[in-house]
Amino acid sequence: MSSSPPKTETMTLLFWAGMAALLFANLDSLRQVPQSTAIGALLIGVACMYPVYLWCAGRVQGLPVFPFFSLTYLWTFCLPLLSGNLNVWSYSPEAHLKAALTTVLFLVSGTVVWLQIVGTPQTIKKPFRALKTDTADNVFISMVAAGAFLNMYVVGGWSGIPDKLFTIVRGIILGLSFLGIFVLAYRAGQNSMPRTKQYIFFIALVANIVTAAAGLILKTALTLFLLSVMAYVIGGKRLPILGLLMGIFLLLPLHHGKHEMRHKYWEGPTAHYVQPWQYPAWFQEWWGYAQANKNRVPQRWEKIEEKESFVERSSVIHMLMMAQAKIPEPFPFLGGKTYAIIPGLIVPRALNPHKLRSHEGTHMLNIHVQRQTYEQTLKTTIAWGLLPEAYANFGYFGCAFIGGILGAFYGVITLAAIGTPPFSARMMFCVLVMSLALASTEWTAGVYAATLFQSSVPIVGIKYAFMKIYRPQFSPRSPGLTASGQPLYPYLVQPKPRERAAPGQTPSPRPGGVPLGRG
């Protein structure tokens, strides 16, 4: 049996090191919480991290779309059971275990279906569309820079673009900028992009993160930072040490000072705007608050939710507990009502002026269990998530079924992109779906479908307007190579086929990972 590639071994070691650190950090909490709660947390942890392990160990190929999706259940369903979240501890340990087992059912269902699909990649035979690498590098670097300019436009309070046009422009630029950050960081991790372009991309990325943070929405900046780090790791199977240290020591500490900045500049009688030349003084003031605020007692004007930790704010498992406590008694199952509105949410508002709100499914759930009135939903949205929504509609069957549907969807998208170049339509759509898998922790199915449809439009436009059709051709002796042994397409690498077993032997269950070639 051949040994794993060194990069795969490195990722496996990093996975186990991370798991050991995670377990050590939460060991005291596991000992202090009731046994039922601790067992539930451990079961969710195993279920959500197993797909991540399979990808790190090279047992599955392609982008880790489903592993990233399952990973989000670590901080939304697993760790909240070990935190001091009052929403979670308003329910009994028995309710914790019941919700945990439901979560495991959901994740296991998705994992089984996903593995059946991605475990058998096929040789690419159908034509596919892709951008020329050099051109695509330049276009997406420009989009990342445009994203930074758009942030300056909003934070600086600039005008000049009509509101209706701005909404369209903003959606296109943000979508392509987000996509560009991932694809370019992925290529930088592979070291398949010229060094000069890597430096230019890094400058544009830093500008995008800084301008996003200037609006005092630190979550957006952290999302861009983590997206670029994850893409780099996926592409190169190694950590970007310098970039990681910069983010940890320069970006994360700002969290301690954001409440003072928001209180000072958001609660005034007029809106406060920051111009690019004011950024140094702006971040210096913010950094000062952050350093002084580490051990300070919170003021009375600070909201309780602002003092919560990341895990406490990210918790969604308490919504599942609430659903299980109220459904089917005293409130009945919804029977798919929140899914029935999805087709109408996909239709653009320009074609349907009376289109429902994108969070209409979320509002239906809150009204159904009397968490909110209709009037209250006009001002506040209380998030649910895909799993609690599935239970509210169809109970345990819905949890297993929706988990399987998501596993199949993520598996098919992953399989279609395996072996294609980074700037192919298949790979770009796969990246988009993976980003939504990370962002969908609090979404209902309607929000997910509407966001996916809207975000796919630019990719479809680029696909048919600018992408060239490539038709894979294979020589009889060596698929993917010409008769002289040269690659037909420099960046096209076919998926590794299954090893054929000898008579009486069981075939290898999953193929090892194969990196994409240079662009």
Side-chain angles (χ1 to χ4, degrees), residues 6-313:
K7 291 184 178 180
T8 300
E9 293 178 355
T10 301
M11 290 300 296
T12 305
L13 290 175
L14 286 174
F15 172 84
W16 288 117
M19 290 299 95
L22 184 66
L23 183 61
F24 178 78
N26 292 278
L27 194 58
D28 289 339
S29 298
L30 283 168
R31 292 171 176 171
Q32 294 172 5
V33 299
Q35 186 177 25
S36 298
T37 304
I39 292 174
L42 289 173
L43 289 175
I44 296 176
V46 172
C48 72
M49 295 308 298
Y50 181 63
V52 180
Y53 164 75
L54 292 177
W55 182 81
C56 290
R59 302 287 184 86
V60 292
Q61 298 183 51
L63 294 183
V65 183
F66 185 80
F68 276 15
F69 172 75
S70 68
L71 179 63
T72 63
Y73 282 73
L74 178 67
W75 56 81
T76 56
F77 283 78
C78 173
L79 295 181
L81 292 176
L82 305 179
S83 69
N85 192 322
L86 296 179
N87 291 323
V88 173
W89 287 101
S90 62
Y91 297 93
S92 65
E94 291 73 21
H96 296 168
L97 182 58
K98 181 180 179 180
L101 293 174
T102 306
T103 306
V104 171
L105 172 66
F106 174 80
L107 291 173
V108 169
S109 175
T111 301
V112 170
V113 176
W114 167 72
L115 271 178
Q116 291 298 316
I117 296 174
V118 298
T120 55
Q122 302 294 323
T123 299
I124 299 175
K125 297 179 180 179
K126 296 182 179 180
F128 62 90
R129 291 177 180 265
L131 293 170
K132 291 184 177 180
T133 306
D134 292 339
T135 303
D137 281 339
N138 298 334
V139 169
F140 280 102
I141 289 175
S142 300
M143 286 295 102
V144 176
F149 177 81
L150 185 67
N151 293 335
M152 295 179 195
Y153 184 95
V154 174
V155 175
W158 300 349
S159 60
I161 304 177
D163 291 342
K164 292 184 178 180
L165 179 61
F166 176 75
T167 302
I168 298 175
V169 172
R170 180 180 183 179
I172 294 174
I173 290 180
L174 289 182
L176 293 179
S177 174
F178 199 85
L179 184 64
I181 288 174
F182 185 94
V183 176
L184 294 173
Y186 177 88
R187 281 174 47 74
Q190 287 183 314
N191 200 27
S192 59
M193 185 165 57
R195 190 57 60 106
T196 302
K197 289 186 178 181
Q198 291 188 37
Y199 292 144
I200 297 174
F201 163 63
F202 178 74
I203 294 172
L205 173 62
V206 171
N208 210 320
I209 294 174
V210 169
T211 54
L216 300 182
I217 306 295
L218 195 57
K219 181 179 179 180
T220 303
L222 287 172
T223 299
L224 298 176
F225 166 69
L226 292 175
L227 177 72
S228 59
V229 170
M230 288 187 295
Y232 189 94
V233 171
I234 293 172
K237 302 290 184 180
R238 64 185 188 276
L239 290 173
I241 303 298
L242 178 60
L244 200 59
L245 292 177
M246 289 178 61
I248 291 175
F249 290 106
L250 297 180
L251 194 61
L252 291 181
L254 294 177
H255 171 76
H256 297 288
K258 68 180 183 182
H259 305 309
E260 284 75 12
M261 292 291 287
R262 291 176 180 177
H263 175 64
K264 180 177 180 179
Y265 294 106
W266 280 8
E267 299 184 11
T270 59
H272 184 85
Y273 299 108
V274 184
Q275 306 306 323
W277 54 87
Q278 297 174 323
Y279 287 173
W282 179 258
F283 282 102
Q284 184 177 8
E285 180 182 4
W286 191 351
W287 184 266
Y289 284 128
Q291 295 303 309
N293 193 43
K294 288 183 177 180
N295 300 314
R296 185 182 60 80
V297 178
Q299 300 296 323
R300 286 181 294 177
W301 46 262
E302 292 181 319
K303 297 179 181 179
I304 294 178
E305 64 179 5
E306 292 179 332
K307 295 182 290 184
E308 295 177 336
S309 68
F310 167 77
V311 171
E312 291 172 328
R313 293 194 306 272

